[in-house]
Amino acid sequence: MLLNRAVAKSVMVVEDEPEIRLVLRTFLEDEGYAVLEADTGERALSLALDEIPDVVLVDLRLPGIHGLDVVRSMRATSTVPIIVVTAQADSHDVVAGLEAGADDYVTKPFEPKELGARIRAQLRRIASETGEQRQDVVACGPIVIRPGTAEAFKDGEPLALSRTEFRVLQELIQEGGRVLSRDDLLRRVWGYGNAGDGRVVDNLIYRLRAKIEVDAAKPEHLVTVRGFGYRLKP
Ligand code: CA
C-alpha cells in the first residue's frame, strides 16, 4: 500500500521481541497506519520526541526501563493515547498499567482485530476532544498548506516536510500571523500537558527555516519574536 506518511496516523510499537514487532507492523500497515518501532523503553522515549506518534503500544515486559516507567514518562509530558500490552495471566499488570497513565490495554496473545478496534477507539476519542479542523487550503503569503492531504507549497513548489515540520507550520499559519510561544507549540504539536523543553521547538524551527526561507540566517517569513516565540509573516 502506498502510504502518505505525513497524513497517515502513526502507531509506535514498543516491544523487545522482533517476531511480535513484525506481526504488529504487518497488521498495522495493512490497516493503513505508519508504524514506528522501538525495541527498548529508552529508544521509545527518544523516538516519541522526534516522531510524535498518534498512538503508543507498550509491552510492559521490556529489558532496561520497565514498560510502566515508559508509560509514566510519556504521560508526564504528553496526552498521546497509550495502550499497554500485558501477559494474559497478569491482571496486576493491567491495573498497574492503567494507574501509570495508560488509556487501555490488550492481553497477549491478542486478536489483531481487537487491537485494531482499540486503536480506532483511542483515535476517535482524541479527534473528538481536539475537534480536528479540516480546512481545504490555508495560505500565508507565498506559503500554502493543504491540511487534508498534509501538503505544503512555497511559490507553488512543493515543500518536503516531515510530519512534525508540517504540524508546526500548520499551527503557525492557522494562527494568522499571531505569535505562538514555545509552550503553545509544545502543547499543540507535541501534546505536552506541562511545559516541556523549548529546545525541541527551536531545533524544529531551525530545520523548517532551512526549507522555507531563502536565507535561513535572515528569515523573512518564520520570524522570532524575542521573548515571546515565533510567528509567520506573509
Ligand atoms: Ca517483552
Side-chain angles (χ1 to χ4, degrees):
M1 181 188 304
L2 186 61
L3 213 57
N4 180 347
R5 293 191 66 88
V7 82
K9 295 289 180 189
S10 66
V11 178
M12 180 159 80
V13 174
V14 189
E15 166 65 67
D16 56 310
E17 288 166 62
E19 301 79 14
I20 298 181
R21 281 206 310 277
L22 180 63
V23 169
L24 284 170
R25 168 182 284 280
T26 308
F27 167 70
L28 293 168
E29 285 183 348
D30 276 352
E31 295 272 296
Y33 298 108
V35 178
L36 306 162
E37 291 182 30
D39 57 354
T40 64
E42 288 85 345
R43 174 125 181 81
L45 292 176
S46 77
L47 195 62
L49 278 182
D50 290 337
E51 302 283 346
I52 313 176
D54 293 297
V55 177
V56 180
L57 215 55
V58 184
D59 178 33
L60 288 185
R61 302 297 162 104
L62 294 168
I65 304 183
H66 192 276
L68 284 175
D69 292 319
V70 176
V71 174
R72 281 190 204 98
S73 294
M74 285 191 183
R75 186 50 78 234
T77 56
S78 165
T79 56
V80 65
I82 301 174
I83 300 174
V84 292
V85 181
T86 67
Q88 192 163 31
D90 210 335
S91 67
H92 175 82
D93 268 3
V94 170
V95 174
L98 295 174
E99 281 180 350
D103 299 286
D104 201 356
Y105 67 94
V106 289
T107 50
K108 280 183 186 174
F110 44 78
E111 182 64 43
K113 278 204 166 62
E114 184 195 343
L115 177 61
R118 299 288 176 103
I119 291 172
R120 282 193 299 278
Q122 289 302 321
L123 289 171
R124 271 199 306 276
R125 177 178 67 78
I126 285 286
S128 70
E129 281 173 11
T130 56
E132 271 188 325
Q133 308 173 4
R134 282 266 171 253
Q135 269 171 290
D136 271 1
V137 178
V138 194
C140 178
I143 299 163
V144 172
I145 64 166
R146 293 176 179 276
T149 54
E151 292 173 294
F153 305 87
K154 186 185 175 197
D155 296 321
E157 295 292 319
L159 295 165
L161 302 182
S162 75
R163 180 186 175 78
T164 316
E165 288 161 357
F166 180 83
R167 287 283 299 116
V168 166
L169 190 61
Q170 181 182 10
E171 288 299 335
L172 287 164
I173 216 166
Q174 287 181 334
E175 205 56 29
R178 287 184 294 274
V179 186
L180 285 177
S181 68
R182 290 179 181 79
D183 283 347
D184 290 333
L185 287 166
L186 281 170
R187 201 175 53 249
R188 294 189 193 181
V189 177
W190 282 265
Y192 278 64
N194 310 315
D197 187 348
R199 281 173 300 183
V200 178
V201 178
D202 297 337
N203 288 334
L204 194 286
I205 294 284
Y206 182 81
R207 294 206 299 272
L208 199 46
R209 277 182 180 149
K211 295 183 180 179
I212 68 174
E213 299 287 352
V214 175
D215 179 355
K218 294 188 188 116
E220 293 175 355
H221 301 294
L222 186 41
V223 297
T224 304
V225 180
R226 208 165 289 282
F228 291 95
Y230 299 101
R231 63 180 287 245
L232 201 59
K233 270 175 41 179

